Amino acid sequence: MSITDLEPADLPGDGPSGPPQELVTDVFARGCTSRAAFEVVTSKWASLALLALGEGSYRFNALRRRVEGVSEKMLSQTLQALERDGMVTRDVVTTIPPRVEYGLTPLGEQVAQRLRALADLLEATAAASAREVAGADDAPEPGPSR
């Protein structure tokens, strides 16, 4: 049985169990069309790949070196998902040997800019927290009270 054999009431998103036929644009709603992309972007490897690609185009192995700790398989899957969601481009450069470069689409650039702002905030907060902890360690111990 193919999807063309199904009655309209049997199709996903129709009927009382699924979302109405109109476009759902609330990321909190189960049927939201952007929810899958949101889940991809908020994964650790996708966020880091987008941040790196925000610096410019990368070849696969250069991107893998930039995003320390990501496996080849995980980076490949992540880039495929980001490409599917319209955030990453995959350009095959016809040279000998051929090479592939990854870059950001306009949507990917917007997402990367927002992730960069978040990363900057977290990095600054981590640095400030580290200074506070270091400052607390340098404080003299209270002496005996008289």
Side-chain angles (χ1 to χ4, degrees), residues 7-64:
E7 294 295 322
D10 297 328
L11 293 174
D14 290 342
S17 63
Q21 291 237 337
E22 71 268 0
L23 184 65
V24 179
T25 58
D26 176 7
V27 78
F28 294 106
R30 182 178 304 140
C32 179
T33 54
S34 65
R35 192 168 183 167
F38 185 80
E39 289 173 1
V40 169
V41 168
T42 57
S43 73
K44 170 175 61 175
W45 300 123
S47 293
L48 292 171
L50 287 167
L51 284 169
L53 290 169
E55 301 167 352
S57 296
Y58 277 91
R59 291 173 67 179
F60 184 86
N61 285 323
L63 182 58
R64 187 166 165 235

Coordinates of all heavy atoms in Angstrom, one line a residue, residues 7-64:
E7 N -6.9 7.0 2.1 CA -7.9 8.0 2.1 C -7.4 9.2 2.8 O -6.5 9.1 3.7 CB -9.2 7.4 2.8 CG -9.8 6.3 2.1 CD -10.4 6.6 0.8 OE1 -11.0 7.8 0.6 OE2 -10.3 5.8 -0.2
P8 N -7.9 10.4 2.5 CA -7.5 11.6 3.1 C -7.5 11.5 4.7 O -6.7 12.1 5.3 CB -8.4 12.7 2.6 CG -8.8 12.2 1.3 CD -8.9 10.7 1.4
A9 N -8.5 10.9 5.2 CA -8.6 10.8 6.7 C -7.5 9.9 7.3 O -7.2 10.0 8.4 CB -10.0 10.2 7.1
D10 N -6.8 9.1 6.4 CA -5.8 8.2 6.9 C -4.4 8.9 6.9 O -3.4 8.3 7.4 CB -5.7 6.9 6.1 CG -7.0 6.1 6.2 OD1 -7.6 6.1 7.2 OD2 -7.3 5.4 5.2
L11 N -4.3 10.0 6.2 CA -3.0 10.7 6.1 C -2.6 11.3 7.4 O -3.4 11.8 8.2 CB -3.0 11.7 5.0 CG -3.2 11.2 3.6 CD1 -3.4 12.3 2.6 CD2 -2.1 10.3 3.2
P12 N -1.2 11.3 7.7 CA -0.7 12.0 8.9 C -1.2 13.4 8.9 O -1.1 14.1 7.9 CB 0.8 11.8 8.8 CG 1.0 10.9 7.7 CD -0.2 10.8 6.8
G13 N -1.5 13.9 10.1 CA -1.9 15.3 10.3 C -3.4 15.5 10.0 O -3.8 16.6 10.2
D14 N -4.1 14.6 9.6 CA -5.5 14.8 9.3 C -6.3 14.1 10.5 O -5.8 13.2 11.1 CB -6.0 14.1 8.0 CG -5.4 14.9 6.8 OD1 -5.0 16.1 7.0 OD2 -5.4 14.3 5.7
G15 N -7.5 14.5 10.7 CA -8.3 13.9 11.7 C -8.1 14.3 13.1 O -7.2 15.2 13.3
P16 N -8.8 13.8 14.0 CA -8.8 14.2 15.4 C -7.4 13.9 16.1 O -7.1 14.6 17.0 CB -9.9 13.5 16.1 CG -10.2 12.3 15.2 CD -9.8 12.7 13.8
S17 N -6.7 12.9 15.7 CA -5.5 12.6 16.4 C -4.3 13.4 16.0 O -3.3 13.5 16.7 CB -5.1 11.1 16.1 OG -4.8 10.9 14.8
G18 N -4.3 14.0 14.8 CA -3.2 14.8 14.3 C -3.5 16.3 14.3 O -4.6 16.7 14.6
P19 N -2.5 17.1 14.0 CA -2.7 18.5 13.9 C -3.6 18.9 12.8 O -3.8 18.1 11.8 CB -1.3 19.1 13.7 CG -0.5 18.0 13.1 CD -1.1 16.8 13.6
P20 N -4.3 20.0 12.8 CA -5.1 20.4 11.7 C -4.3 20.6 10.4 O -3.1 20.7 10.5 CB -5.8 21.7 12.2 CG -5.0 22.2 13.3 CD -4.3 21.0 13.9
Q21 N -5.0 20.7 9.3 CA -4.3 20.8 8.0 C -3.5 22.1 7.9 O -2.5 22.1 7.1 CB -5.3 20.7 6.9 CG -5.9 19.3 6.8 CD -5.7 18.8 5.4 OE1 -5.5 19.5 4.5 NE2 -5.7 17.5 5.3
E22 N -3.8 23.1 8.6 CA -3.0 24.4 8.4 C -1.7 24.2 9.0 O -1.4 23.3 9.8 CB -3.8 25.6 9.1 CG -3.8 25.6 10.6 CD -5.0 24.9 11.1 OE1 -5.9 24.5 10.4 OE2 -5.2 24.9 12.4
L23 N -0.8 25.0 8.6 CA 0.6 25.0 9.1 C 0.7 25.3 10.6 O 0.2 26.3 11.0 CB 1.4 26.0 8.3 CG 2.9 26.1 8.5 CD1 3.6 24.8 8.0 CD2 3.5 27.2 7.7
V24 N 1.4 24.4 11.3 CA 1.6 24.6 12.7 C 3.0 25.3 12.9 O 4.0 24.8 12.5 CB 1.6 23.3 13.5 CG1 1.8 23.5 15.0 CG2 0.2 22.6 13.3
T25 N 3.0 26.5 13.5 CA 4.2 27.2 13.7 C 4.5 27.6 15.1 O 4.9 28.7 15.4 CB 4.2 28.5 12.8 OG1 3.1 29.3 13.2 CG2 4.2 28.2 11.3
D26 N 4.3 26.7 16.0 CA 4.6 26.8 17.4 C 5.5 25.7 17.8 O 5.1 24.5 17.8 CB 3.3 26.8 18.2 CG 3.6 26.8 19.7 OD1 4.7 27.1 20.1 OD2 2.6 26.6 20.5
V27 N 6.8 26.0 18.0 CA 7.8 25.0 18.3 C 7.5 24.1 19.5 O 7.9 23.0 19.6 CB 9.2 25.6 18.4 CG1 9.4 26.3 19.8 CG2 10.3 24.7 18.2
F28 N 6.6 24.5 20.4 CA 6.2 23.7 21.5 C 5.1 22.7 21.1 O 4.9 21.7 21.8 CB 5.6 24.6 22.6 CG 6.6 25.5 23.2 CD1 6.6 26.8 23.0 CD2 7.6 25.0 24.1 CE1 7.5 27.7 23.5 CE2 8.5 25.8 24.7 CZ 8.5 27.2 24.4
A29 N 4.5 22.9 19.9 CA 3.5 21.9 19.5 C 4.1 20.7 18.8 O 5.1 20.9 18.0 CB 2.5 22.6 18.5
R30 N 3.6 19.6 19.1 CA 4.2 18.3 18.5 C 4.2 18.4 17.0 O 5.1 17.9 16.4 CB 3.3 17.1 19.0 CG 3.8 15.8 18.5 CD 3.0 14.7 19.0 NE 3.0 14.7 20.5 CZ 1.9 14.4 21.2 NH1 0.8 14.0 20.6 NH2 1.9 14.5 22.5
G31 N 3.2 19.0 16.3 CA 3.1 19.0 14.9 C 3.8 20.2 14.2 O 3.7 20.4 13.0
C32 N 4.6 20.9 15.0 CA 5.3 22.1 14.4 C 6.3 21.7 13.4 O 7.1 20.8 13.6 CB 6.0 22.9 15.5 SG 6.9 24.3 14.9
T33 N 6.2 22.4 12.2 CA 7.0 22.0 11.1 C 8.5 22.4 11.3 O 9.4 21.8 10.7 CB 6.5 22.7 9.8 OG1 6.4 24.1 10.1 CG2 5.2 22.1 9.4
S34 N 8.8 23.3 12.3 CA 10.1 23.7 12.5 C 10.8 22.9 13.7 O 12.0 23.1 14.0 CB 10.2 25.2 12.8 OG 9.5 25.5 14.0
R35 N 10.0 22.1 14.3 CA 10.5 21.4 15.5 C 11.7 20.5 15.2 O 12.6 20.4 16.0 CB 9.4 20.6 16.2 CG 9.7 20.1 17.6 CD 8.5 19.6 18.3 NE 8.7 19.2 19.6 CZ 7.8 19.0 20.5 NH1 6.5 19.1 20.2 NH2 8.1 18.6 21.7
A36 N 11.6 19.7 14.1 CA 12.7 18.8 13.7 C 14.0 19.6 13.5 O 15.1 19.2 14.0 CB 12.3 18.0 12.5
A37 N 13.9 20.8 12.8 CA 15.1 21.6 12.6 C 15.6 22.2 13.9 O 16.8 22.2 14.1 CB 14.7 22.7 11.6
F38 N 14.7 22.5 14.8 CA 15.1 23.0 16.1 C 15.9 22.0 16.9 O 16.9 22.2 17.5 CB 13.9 23.4 16.9 CG 14.2 24.1 18.2 CD1 14.5 25.4 18.3 CD2 14.1 23.4 19.4 CE1 14.8 26.0 19.5 CE2 14.3 23.9 20.6 CZ 14.7 25.3 20.7
E39 N 15.4 20.7 16.8 CA 16.1 19.6 17.5 C 17.5 19.4 16.9 O 18.4 19.1 17.6 CB 15.3 18.3 17.4 CG 14.0 18.4 18.2 CD 13.1 17.2 18.0 OE1 13.4 16.3 17.3 OE2 12.0 17.2 18.7
V40 N 17.6 19.5 15.6 CA 18.9 19.3 15.0 C 19.9 20.5 15.4 O 21.0 20.2 15.9 CB 18.8 19.3 13.4 CG1 20.2 19.4 12.8 CG2 18.1 18.0 13.0
V41 N 19.4 21.7 15.3 CA 20.3 22.9 15.6 C 20.7 22.8 17.0 O 21.9 23.2 17.3 CB 19.5 24.2 15.3 CG1 20.2 25.4 15.8 CG2 19.4 24.3 13.8
T42 N 19.9 22.4 17.9 CA 20.3 22.4 19.4 C 21.1 21.2 19.8 O 21.4 21.2 21.0 CB 19.0 22.6 20.2 OG1 18.1 21.5 20.0 CG2 18.3 23.9 20.0
S43 N 21.4 20.3 18.9 CA 22.3 19.3 19.2 C 23.7 19.8 19.3 O 24.1 20.8 18.7 CB 22.3 18.1 18.2 OG 22.9 18.5 17.0
K44 N 24.6 19.2 20.2 CA 25.9 19.7 20.4 C 26.7 19.9 19.1 O 27.3 20.9 18.8 CB 26.6 18.8 21.4 CG 28.1 19.1 21.5 CD 28.8 18.3 22.6 CE 28.7 16.8 22.3 NZ 29.5 16.0 23.3
W45 N 26.8 18.8 18.3 CA 27.6 18.8 17.1 C 27.1 19.8 16.1 O 27.9 20.4 15.4 CB 27.8 17.4 16.6 CG 28.4 16.5 17.6 CD1 27.9 15.3 18.0 CD2 29.7 16.7 18.3 NE1 28.8 14.7 19.0 CE2 29.9 15.5 19.1 CE3 30.7 17.6 18.2 CZ2 31.0 15.4 19.9 CZ3 31.8 17.5 19.1 CH2 31.9 16.4 19.9
A46 N 25.8 19.9 15.9 CA 25.3 20.8 14.9 C 25.5 22.2 15.3 O 25.9 23.0 14.5 CB 23.8 20.6 14.7
S47 N 25.4 22.5 16.6 CA 25.6 23.9 17.0 C 27.1 24.3 16.8 O 27.4 25.3 16.3 CB 25.3 24.0 18.5 OG 23.9 23.9 18.7
L48 N 28.0 23.3 17.1 CA 29.4 23.6 17.0 C 29.8 23.7 15.5 O 30.6 24.6 15.1 CB 30.3 22.6 17.7 CG 30.2 22.6 19.2 CD1 30.8 21.4 19.8 CD2 30.8 23.9 19.7
A49 N 29.2 22.9 14.6 CA 29.5 22.9 13.2 C 29.0 24.3 12.6 O 29.7 24.9 11.8 CB 28.8 21.7 12.5
L50 N 27.8 24.7 13.0 CA 27.3 26.0 12.6 C 28.2 27.1 13.0 O 28.4 28.1 12.3 CB 25.8 26.2 13.1 CG 24.8 25.3 12.4 CD1 23.5 25.4 13.1 CD2 24.6 25.8 10.9
L51 N 28.6 27.1 14.3 CA 29.5 28.1 14.8 C 30.8 28.2 13.9 O 31.3 29.2 13.5 CB 29.9 27.9 16.2 CG 28.8 28.2 17.2 CD1 29.2 27.7 18.6 CD2 28.6 29.7 17.3
A52 N 31.4 27.0 13.6 CA 32.6 26.9 12.8 C 32.4 27.4 11.4 O 33.1 28.2 10.9 CB 33.2 25.5 12.8
L53 N 31.3 27.0 10.8 CA 30.9 27.4 9.5 C 30.6 28.9 9.4 O 30.7 29.6 8.3 CB 29.8 26.6 8.9 CG 30.2 25.2 8.6 CD1 29.0 24.3 8.2 CD2 31.2 25.1 7.4
G54 N 30.2 29.5 10.5 CA 30.0 30.9 10.6 C 31.3 31.7 10.4 O 31.3 32.9 10.1
E55 N 32.5 31.0 10.6 CA 33.8 31.6 10.4 C 34.1 31.6 8.9 O 35.0 32.3 8.4 CB 34.9 30.9 11.1 CG 34.6 30.9 12.6 CD 35.5 29.9 13.4 OE1 36.2 29.1 12.7 OE2 35.5 29.9 14.6
G56 N 33.5 30.8 8.1 CA 33.8 30.6 6.7 C 33.6 29.2 6.2 O 33.3 28.3 7.1
S57 N 33.8 28.9 4.9 CA 33.6 27.6 4.4 C 34.7 26.7 4.9 O 35.9 27.2 5.1 CB 33.6 27.6 2.9 OG 32.5 28.4 2.4
Y58 N 34.4 25.4 5.0 CA 35.4 24.4 5.4 C 35.3 23.2 4.6 O 34.2 22.8 4.2 CB 35.1 24.0 6.9 CG 35.7 24.9 7.9 CD1 35.0 25.9 8.5 CD2 37.0 24.6 8.4 CE1 35.5 26.7 9.5 CE2 37.5 25.4 9.4 CZ 36.8 26.5 10.0 OH 37.3 27.2 11.0
R59 N 36.4 22.5 4.3 CA 36.4 21.2 3.8 C 36.1 20.3 5.0 O 36.3 20.6 6.1 CB 37.7 20.9 3.1 CG 37.9 21.7 1.9 CD 39.2 21.5 1.2 NE 39.4 20.2 0.7 CZ 40.5 19.8 0.1 NH1 41.5 20.7 -0.1 NH2 40.7 18.6 -0.3
F60 N 35.6 19.0 4.7 CA 35.2 18.1 5.7 C 36.2 17.9 6.8 O 35.9 18.1 8.0 CB 34.7 16.8 5.1 CG 34.2 15.8 6.1 CD1 32.8 15.9 6.4 CD2 35.0 14.9 6.7 CE1 32.3 15.0 7.4 CE2 34.5 14.0 7.7 CZ 33.1 14.1 8.0
N61 N 37.4 17.5 6.4 CA 38.4 17.2 7.4 C 38.9 18.4 8.2 O 39.2 18.3 9.4 CB 39.6 16.5 6.8 CG 39.3 15.0 6.5 OD1 38.6 14.4 7.3 ND2 39.8 14.5 5.4
A62 N 38.9 19.6 7.6 CA 39.3 20.8 8.3 C 38.2 21.1 9.3 O 38.5 21.6 10.4 CB 39.4 22.0 7.3
L63 N 36.9 20.9 8.9 CA 35.8 21.2 9.9 C 35.9 20.2 11.0 O 35.7 20.5 12.2 CB 34.5 21.1 9.1 CG 33.2 21.3 9.9 CD1 33.2 22.7 10.6 CD2 32.0 21.1 9.1
R64 N 36.2 18.9 10.7 CA 36.3 17.9 11.8 C 37.5 18.3 12.8 O 37.3 18.1 14.0 CB 36.6 16.6 11.1 CG 36.6 15.5 12.1 CD 36.5 14.1 11.5 NE 36.8 13.1 12.5 CZ 37.8 12.2 12.3 NH1 38.4 12.1 11.2 NH2 38.0 11.3 13.3

